[in-house]
Amino acid sequence: EVQLVESGGGLVQPGRSLRLSCTTSGFTFGDFAMSWVRQAPGKGLEWVGFIRSKTYGGTTEYAASVKGRFTISRDDSKSIAYLQMNSLKTEDTAVYYCNRGPATTWYSYYWGQGTLVTVSS
Amino acid sequence: QSALTQPASVSGSPGQSITISCTGTSSDIGGYNYVSWYQQHPGKAPKLMIYDVSNRPSGVSNRFSGSKSGNTASLTISGLQAEDEADYYCSSYTSSSTLGVFGGGTKLTVL
């Protein structure tokens, strides 16, 4: 059974950093891209970014709103994806979901349950 | 403002059919058959309902169907049930970005 479990969320002050983890099981982690999507309270879904598999260079793509502040990485030996968030802003407050993908035709079937990040002084 | 435009809300009675539209441009919906739809219940993660415009993942009811015409994709739910009440998001690949785009979401109310 495929499972994705996010952790690391919490309350953090503006300007500080936080690292989220997405611990996975049930599939060959290294074969897949991994993404992060966020949802601000009462708002819609927003792509944060994703990291390709090593087969495709392990390169990353980011939304303009987080580029330069957020970094996605992966540890294929542990089957974990990370989202390092620096210089956090109040507008980064959201539930952060990791998901397996996107697939080549840009959809994601497996999602984690999400972890809440609150940026507030 | 979202790149894809969805109605904020739709409603229907049990047993009826409803359609949710998702309008984009020739850079996304109109140019590629890479449209997907997600269902999200309050406090839950999104669930993939349709991918590649009209394909249903295993386990998704055949009451859910997807289609596309020009720059507009549609999700149709037939035989509405109370459990269908949720938010629905469309998503598409776009040539204008290195990331996909989501619609703003549609709240479905089952009367």
Side-chain angles (χ1 to χ4, degrees):
Chain A
E1 179 191 9
V2 172
Q3 290 191 321
L4 293 81
V5 178
E6 301 93 339
S7 60
L11 175 63
V12 61
Q13 293 179 326
R16 304 296 292 265
S17 299
L18 202 62
R19 188 178 80 160
L20 306 183
S21 299
C22 175
T23 303
T24 74
S25 61
F27 65 99
T28 305
F29 181 81
D31 287 349
F32 293 89
M34 294 297 297
S35 300
W36 290 91
V37 171
R38 69 183 180 182
Q39 186 170 36
K43 301 297 184 180
L45 302 172
E46 178 190 16
W47 285 101
V48 173
F50 73 97
I51 184 167
R52 297 177 177 86
S53 67
K54 294 286 199 303
T55 300
Y56 292 92
T59 52
T60 51
E61 304 291 348
Y62 299 98
S65 57
V66 307
K67 199 169 187 178
R69 299 187 299 121
F70 289 13
T71 302
I72 299 173
S73 60
R74 61 190 300 152
D75 186 333
D76 289 357
S77 68
K78 295 181 179 178
S79 299
I80 300 176
Y82 299 100
L83 177 63
Q84 176 68 43
M85 303 183 293
N86 298 332
S87 303
L88 281 161
K89 305 175 181 180
T90 55
E91 52 263 42
D92 295 320
T93 294
V95 174
Y96 285 75
Y97 297 100
C98 69
N99 65 74
R100 192 185 84 174
T104 29
T105 55
W106 209 273
Y107 63 89
S108 294
Y109 183 79
Y110 295 103
W111 294 67
Q113 83 289 351
T115 187
L116 176 62
V117 173
T118 302
V119 184
S120 175
S121 54
Chain B
Q1 188 171 356
S2 301
L4 303 178
T5 301
Q6 299 180 233
S9 63
V10 298
S11 63
S13 300
Q16 288 186 331
S17 294
I18 63 96
T19 296
I20 299 172
S21 62
C22 173
T23 301
T25 68
S26 57
S27 296
D28 38 68
I29 292 177
Y32 308 89
N33 289 325
Y34 298 163
V35 179
S36 52
W37 289 90
Y38 298 88
Q39 175 192 66
Q40 187 181 35
H41 287 108
K44 300 296 186 182
K47 175 186 177 183
L48 180 68
M49 305 302 284
I50 296 287
Y51 67 97
D52 296 355
V53 176
S54 60
N55 293 326
R56 273 189 314 275
S58 174
V60 172
S61 170
N62 59 10
R63 298 185 298 106
F64 291 82
S65 62
S67 62
K68 188 187 87 166
S69 177
N71 295 337
T72 299
S74 299
L75 174 70
T76 298
I77 309 174
S78 59
L80 267 181
Q81 299 179 0
E83 68 208 48
D84 299 332
E85 185 163 295
D87 294 325
Y88 291 84
Y89 293 90
C90 60
S91 178
S92 175
Y93 169 82
T94 175
S95 60
S96 302
S97 168
T98 55
L99 297 179
V101 290
F102 284 109
T106 299
K107 181 176 180 59
L108 169 62
T109 301
V110 180
L111 302 170

